[in-house]
Amino acid sequence: MTTGAIDLGEGSVALAPPGLAARFGEFLAVGGATLALLPLAWLAPKLVGTDDAELAAGFFTFHVAFVLNDPHFSVTYLLFYDDVRRRAFGDAFGRAQRIRYLVAGFVVPALLVGWAAVAVARHSARLLGFEIQLMFLLVGWHYVKQGFGVLSTLAARRGRKIRPRERLALLFHCYAAWGFAWANPATPAGDFEEKGVVFRSVAHPRWLELVTGSVLAASVLVLAWALVVERRRAEARMPLGPFVVFLISVWVWSVFSAVNPIVRYFVPALHSLQYLYFVGLLRRAELRESAGAFSPPLTSRLVLFALSALGLGFVLFHGVPGILDATLFGRRRAPDDLGPTPFFAAFFVVVNLHHYVMDAVIWRRENPKMQLLARKR
């Protein structure tokens, strides 16, 4: 959902899930399952020991990544480059959205791939490390804005539009949480390893942690004030379930994601499940919209779409980088700070960063497809 956020704007139609069981299932899929994970993450180390609990969590989430994390990246490409000619040069988008599409779809990947290619060609862990640090910076933006997108979309589907004052307060809280999550804890510059690449990180000074923490505290007050004012003015409270999921995305997955190591293992999978839930809603609506008299069954087309995402995810994160690392770097006599799998690291960071940027285009209200998420079927 976006790294830019879904904002359906005017004209959305209430579309609540049919029944308590469906609502509860939706709540779990979009982040509510985290509430069940928290007590388990606290209890597991006490029952089996910290090392065994973390080993089991790491083993489980490593394999879950093949069916959740990887496809959640690859499916973005399937959504973004669908009908690419009409979106880039035709009448599918307005001028501003078309410019965003061209930049995100062609300029940004060229820059990211060029950056990574130069780093690998020069055997420069330092240069690739800067790109990795950009990923670490923007991942918080991605998480909190997706949380905002979930709230605004589910609220719209329940007939409760996010009002301008609330929108500003929610986004202020998102950005403040993102800043604090990145700045906390305060650490000096040092050597770190990511996907085999050893690089020197930038320092996170204490004053930055204090400033961002103060801004975050202020944003909590602003958000509470905005919600109370709008509740009194319009006599329509924020839907509880979507708002709880928003708080989970901001606080558990971003601000306090490092507090419990077991929770930290599961956050990417939970985030991916949240994303894929809305991709499923959108794709189902698109296929129904375009269905003709002789179209294949909806279920078979959805299965084909899911299998395409699975296959592309394997190609992007395992197939192509694995072949390149084995053929071009597998026989090095003296490995350097790029590690034994520099192509895997490069693909990982480029796909992550490009995913963030593409999301900022796909899930905008300027994309006509977004109205399908709030249309009563």
Side-chain angles (χ1 to χ4, degrees):
M1 302 275 319
T2 165
T3 314
I6 294 179
D7 185 0
L8 298 173
E10 299 291 347
S12 56
V13 179
L15 181 60
L20 181 61
R23 283 179 178 270
F24 183 67
E26 178 184 72
F27 176 72
L28 293 178
V30 299
T34 309
L35 298 180
L37 174 63
L38 291 175
L40 291 176
W42 174 81
L43 186 61
K46 299 181 181 298
L47 294 178
V48 301
T50 300
D51 291 342
D52 287 344
E54 290 189 27
L55 180 63
F59 179 84
F60 178 76
T61 53
F62 172 81
H63 290 89
V64 164
F66 287 89
V67 295
L68 283 181
N69 303 34
D70 296 350
H72 122 272
F73 288 109
S74 62
V75 78
T76 311
Y77 287 92
L78 300 180
L79 293 176
F80 189 90
Y81 290 104
D82 183 38
D83 200 12
V84 60
R85 183 186 297 274
R86 197 164 74 88
R87 291 180 174 187
F89 306 108
D91 59 355
F93 293 147
R95 181 179 179 182
Q97 181 71 354
R98 189 182 305 115
I99 292 173
R100 293 187 193 100
Y101 186 83
L102 290 170
V103 171
F106 300 96
V107 177
V108 169
L111 294 174
L112 293 175
V113 170
W115 183 349
V118 171
V120 173
R122 293 184 175 181
H123 293 254
S124 176
R126 181 173 181 269
L127 185 57
L128 189 56
F130 284 130
E131 195 168 17
I132 292 172
Q133 290 180 83
L134 179 62
M135 178 185 70
F136 288 152
L137 171 64
L138 294 182
V139 68
W141 174 58
H142 178 60
Y143 273 41
V144 299
K145 287 294 293 293
Q146 182 164 305
F148 171 76
V150 170
L151 172 59
S152 60
T153 303
L154 292 183
R157 288 169 66 84
R158 286 157 173 72
R160 171 58 161 86
K161 184 180 182 295
I162 302 296
R163 299 182 178 88
R165 182 186 286 113
E166 293 172 323
R167 174 183 168 83
L168 290 175
L170 287 165
L171 288 176
F172 175 38
H173 185 58
C174 285
Y175 291 135
W178 166 39
F180 179 72
W182 183 76
N184 176 60
T187 55
D191 292 330
F192 291 85
E193 182 270 335
E194 178 66 27
K195 302 297 182 286
V197 179
V198 179
F199 63 93
R200 189 158 188 83
S201 72
V202 298
H204 293 192
R206 175 64 173 168
W207 65 264
L208 182 61
E209 180 185 26
L210 294 174
V211 169
T212 55
S214 299
V215 174
L216 177 58
S219 76
V220 172
L221 299 177
V222 170
L223 178 57
W225 169 80
L227 293 176
V228 169
V229 169
E230 289 296 340
R231 175 71 175 85
R232 290 177 176 176
R233 185 178 70 84
E235 296 184 354
R237 64 181 179 84
M238 188 73 69
L240 179 60
F243 187 66
V244 169
V245 170
F246 167 78
L247 295 178
I248 289 172
S249 299
V250 171
W251 285 91
V252 182
W253 296 358
S254 301
V255 176
F256 291 128
S257 63
V259 169
N260 185 292
I262 295 178
V263 173
R264 185 170 65 244
Y265 277 117
F266 279 89
V267 165
L270 292 166
H271 163 84
S272 299
L273 178 62
Q274 182 187 74
Y275 185 86
L276 291 172
Y277 176 81
F278 286 94
V279 169
L281 290 181
L282 177 61
R283 191 59 178 171
R284 180 184 293 271
E286 287 179 329
L287 292 176
R288 284 176 171 168
E289 187 83 356
S290 62
F294 301 101
S295 297
L298 176 63
T299 301
S300 64
R301 290 195 288 169
L302 285 172
V303 169
L304 178 61
F305 183 72
L307 292 176
S308 299
L310 283 168
L312 182 57
F314 180 82
V315 169
L316 289 174
F317 290 103
H318 306 281
V320 174
I323 292 172
L324 292 175
D325 282 326
T327 56
L328 300 180
F329 278 79
R331 297 181 179 180
R332 287 183 302 165
R333 295 181 178 178
D336 51 32
D337 285 345
L338 279 179
T341 56
F343 281 101
F344 171 59
F347 270 71
F348 183 81
V349 68
V350 168
V351 171
N352 267 268
L353 288 168
H354 194 205
H355 168 72
Y356 306 159
V357 177
M358 287 189 292
D359 265 8
V361 177
I362 293 174
W363 303 98
R364 295 183 68 90
R365 59 184 171 185
E366 290 86 353
N367 181 359
K369 296 289 187 181
M370 289 304 98
Q371 293 305 321
L372 295 175
L373 286 176
R375 184 178 299 175
K376 185 173 288 186
R377 302 304 300 179

